[in-house]
Amino acid sequence: MKLIQRFFSAPLFKGIPIQIKRQQVFRALRLLFLFSLVAAGAWFLWQRQIRVFSRVGYLNGTLLNIYARIPGTLVLYPLQPGQLLSKGQEIGRIENERNPQLETDRQNLETRLAVAQRQRQVLLQKRQSRQKLIAELSYYQREQYRLEVQFAQEALQRVLAELREAQEALTLARLEADRYTRLVRQGAVSRQRADEAIYKARQAEQVVKNKQAELRRYQTNLEAFRRGLQLDSARTFSFPQIRLIDLQIEVVNIEGQIAEAEATIEQLKREIANIKQQLALQKLARIQSPIDGVVWAVIHKSGALGIPISAGDPIAKVLDCSDVWATALVAERENARLRVGQPATVRLLDGSDRRLRGWVRAIRGGPGKVVVGETVAVPPPDLVRNELAVDITLEEIPSKLGAQRFCGVGQSVEVIFDTRS
């Protein structure tokens, strides 16, 4: 009050009544307040003209669910929401000592493998015995061939000796015929005696020709024997030859059966190896973090004794801090003023008034906002008519928004879009 009185007692207001002084001051204050309101309204309208403000905004991130790969007993290591995980870090295990179907399949395969191996062993022994018989019959065949050739050679030698004897007899017969011919000319013997000598010479010559023909036939027959042929009649096989041919055909068939049995054994071994690998995987499954992230939620806490779990059941949720963005709900009438790639400012509403830079990466309208709620940390709120959901990629995440704060996911923000650019 003293201050007001001192203000009105200033030389500027000398000679003016105090009542008039007060009226002038309050009038000036009202004009100043009115001008301030007009200026603030104009500034607000200008800001609304060059910027778009979100109605609701929050930070969001991608969640990865960790599921059980096999049924069994889950033993999860102590995990707390907000705990930092590195990629590949083991956070638990699932043990399943029994798998009846795989065990039955493995036993059936091993039984089939034992049968196939036994069949192969029998075929190998059968082939060995047949090969032994083939060796014996081959020896008999070689002996028979040798004896046949030897017999043909001896027959050839006999015919050759007979030919030589016939040739010698022919020579003597010719000499005797010549001698009797000379004696007939001299009148020492009768003509009949000379004719008989000539006739004997001709017979001896014919014998030589026959022996020569027989020699050529035996030579040809010997060559045929050496080549395994028979000329005097149709080819007839001996018992060793017939049995040898049958055994060779049988060995070929056995070889095919052995090859088939070995292929079956190899296939069964591969199947057994696959079954054993599946059993190893089904007996123990290690649970590892798929990314570098933060534990968002632990769905099943097992304790030291573990809990039963089925394949495909969710175990925990991990937040990917490398993919954090801001989601803003904006009036749909501002759609024409928004575009992908547009710069935006994200203001944290945690009292720090910190502002983060970013740009628009997606604009969705209507039911499109509901789809992303299945894989994000913060599902979209209930639909509001005439609104857009705008996602903003952040240039950086403040260091204070660490794992313990879930990288800021779920925190409310205000998003300001600059439309001047």
Side-chain angles (χ1 to χ4, degrees):
M1 192 68 180
K2 292 181 180 181
L3 181 62
I4 295 177
Q5 292 177 358
R6 190 178 300 172
F7 176 76
F8 285 117
S9 63
L12 180 64
F13 298 101
K14 286 184 178 181
I16 301 176
I18 189 66
Q19 187 67 24
I20 297 176
K21 292 179 182 178
R22 290 180 177 178
Q23 292 177 357
Q24 291 177 350
V25 170
F26 283 114
R27 184 181 298 112
L29 290 176
R30 286 195 298 270
L31 290 175
L32 180 61
F33 179 71
L34 180 61
F35 177 76
S36 298
L37 288 178
V38 171
W43 182 85
F44 179 78
L45 291 176
W46 169 250
Q47 292 294 323
R48 290 291 178 179
Q49 187 67 26
I50 64 174
R51 291 181 174 86
V52 175
F53 295 84
S54 64
R55 181 185 68 84
V56 177
Y58 52 89
L59 295 181
N60 210 341
T62 301
L63 284 183
L64 295 180
N65 293 323
I66 301 178
Y67 296 97
R69 293 183 296 173
I70 62 172
T73 302
L74 170 65
V75 178
L76 197 64
Y77 303 155
L79 289 178
Q80 297 296 332
Q83 180 178 343
L84 186 63
L85 297 177
S86 58
K87 184 177 180 180
Q89 179 180 346
E90 186 174 340
I91 61 176
R93 66 184 186 275
I94 300 177
E95 297 177 353
N96 183 13
E97 293 298 330
R98 293 184 57 82
N99 193 318
Q101 184 61 42
L102 289 178
E103 285 288 348
T104 302
D105 294 342
R106 182 183 63 82
Q107 293 176 3
N108 293 335
L109 289 174
E110 288 182 349
T111 302
R112 291 173 56 191
L113 176 61
V115 172
Q117 290 175 340
R118 179 57 184 168
Q119 290 178 350
R120 182 183 63 176
Q121 186 65 25
V122 171
L123 290 172
L124 290 174
Q125 294 176 356
K126 189 176 180 180
R127 183 183 64 178
Q128 184 178 2
S129 64
R130 298 302 184 271
Q131 288 176 345
K132 184 177 180 180
L133 288 175
I134 287 175
E136 294 178 358
L137 292 173
S138 297
Y139 171 75
Y140 294 148
Q141 185 184 20
R142 289 193 300 269
E143 287 297 312
Q144 182 180 2
Y145 169 76
R146 184 182 64 80
L147 292 174
E148 287 179 350
V149 172
Q150 183 178 355
F151 177 77
Q153 288 176 345
E154 291 176 353
L156 180 63
Q157 294 295 330
R158 178 179 58 79
V159 173
L160 183 59
E162 292 177 356
L163 175 61
R164 291 173 180 173
E165 291 177 359
Q167 289 176 346
E168 292 177 356
L170 175 61
T171 302
L172 293 175
R174 285 178 177 176
L175 292 175
E176 188 174 358
D178 292 340
R179 184 169 60 83
Y180 277 106
T181 300
R182 289 194 302 271
L183 291 175
V184 168
R185 291 176 184 172
Q186 296 174 3
V189 295
S190 64
R191 184 67 186 177
Q192 182 178 0
R193 184 63 178 168
D195 290 338
E196 290 178 358
I198 294 173
Y199 177 74
K200 289 180 179 181
R202 290 178 180 176
Q203 284 183 336
E205 184 178 359
Q206 185 63 37
V207 171
V208 170
K209 290 182 179 179
N210 293 337
K211 291 300 180 180
Q212 289 177 345
E214 187 177 1
L215 178 62
R216 288 192 296 271
R217 184 171 64 85
Y218 274 95
Q219 288 177 342
T220 305
N221 196 23
L222 175 61
E223 185 65 23
F225 275 125
R226 287 175 175 173
R227 297 187 181 185
L229 301 175
Q230 189 171 345
L231 300 179
D232 53 356
S233 63
R235 177 62 174 167
T236 57
F237 294 95
S238 62
F239 174 77
Q241 290 175 315
I242 297 174
R243 185 58 180 150
L244 183 61
I245 294 174
D246 294 338
L247 288 175
Q248 289 174 345
I249 296 174
E250 188 175 358
V251 167
V252 172
N253 294 332
I254 293 174
E255 291 285 352
Q257 294 175 5
I258 291 175
E260 184 177 356
E262 289 179 348
T264 302
I265 290 172
E266 291 300 324
Q267 180 181 359
L268 290 174
K269 286 182 178 179
R270 288 194 296 268
E271 292 181 3
I272 291 174
N274 292 334
I275 288 289
K276 289 182 178 179
Q277 185 178 8
Q278 292 178 16
L279 278 172
L281 294 176
Q282 292 292 331
K283 286 183 178 179
L284 177 63
R286 301 186 184 278
I287 305 172
Q288 298 176 336
S289 175
I291 58 171
D292 294 329
V294 178
V295 178
W296 179 264
V298 181
I299 301 174
H300 293 289
K301 291 187 177 182
S302 64
L305 299 179
I307 59 173
I309 196 169
S310 301
D313 289 349
I315 298 174
K317 295 183 177 181
V318 180
L319 175 65
D320 185 3
C321 286
S322 63
D323 186 20
V324 176
W325 68 90
T327 299
L329 299 183
V330 181
E332 195 170 8
R333 63 175 178 272
E334 306 292 350
N335 191 11
R337 304 173 64 189
L338 299 176
R339 70 183 187 280
V340 176
Q342 182 176 0
T345 301
V346 179
R347 185 170 69 90
L348 302 181
L349 301 181
D350 56 357
S352 64
D353 198 38
R354 179 161 184 171
R355 298 173 184 265
L356 308 176
R357 291 186 300 176
W359 61 88
V360 177
R361 73 176 184 182
I363 301 174
R364 299 184 304 275
K369 294 182 292 184
V370 180
V371 177
V372 297
E374 299 177 356
T375 57
V376 296
V378 183
D382 295 335
L383 291 176
V384 179
R385 294 184 58 186
N386 301 327
E387 278 195 345
L388 299 173
V390 184
D391 292 339
I392 298 93
T393 299
L394 303 178
E395 289 187 358
E396 61 177 351
I397 304 298
S399 58
K400 69 175 184 178
L401 300 179
Q404 290 76 12
R405 294 179 179 269
F406 299 97
C407 302
V409 172
Q411 184 171 318
S412 299
V413 295
E414 182 187 35
V415 182
I416 305 170
F417 303 91
D418 191 354
T419 62
R420 288 176 296 180
S421 59

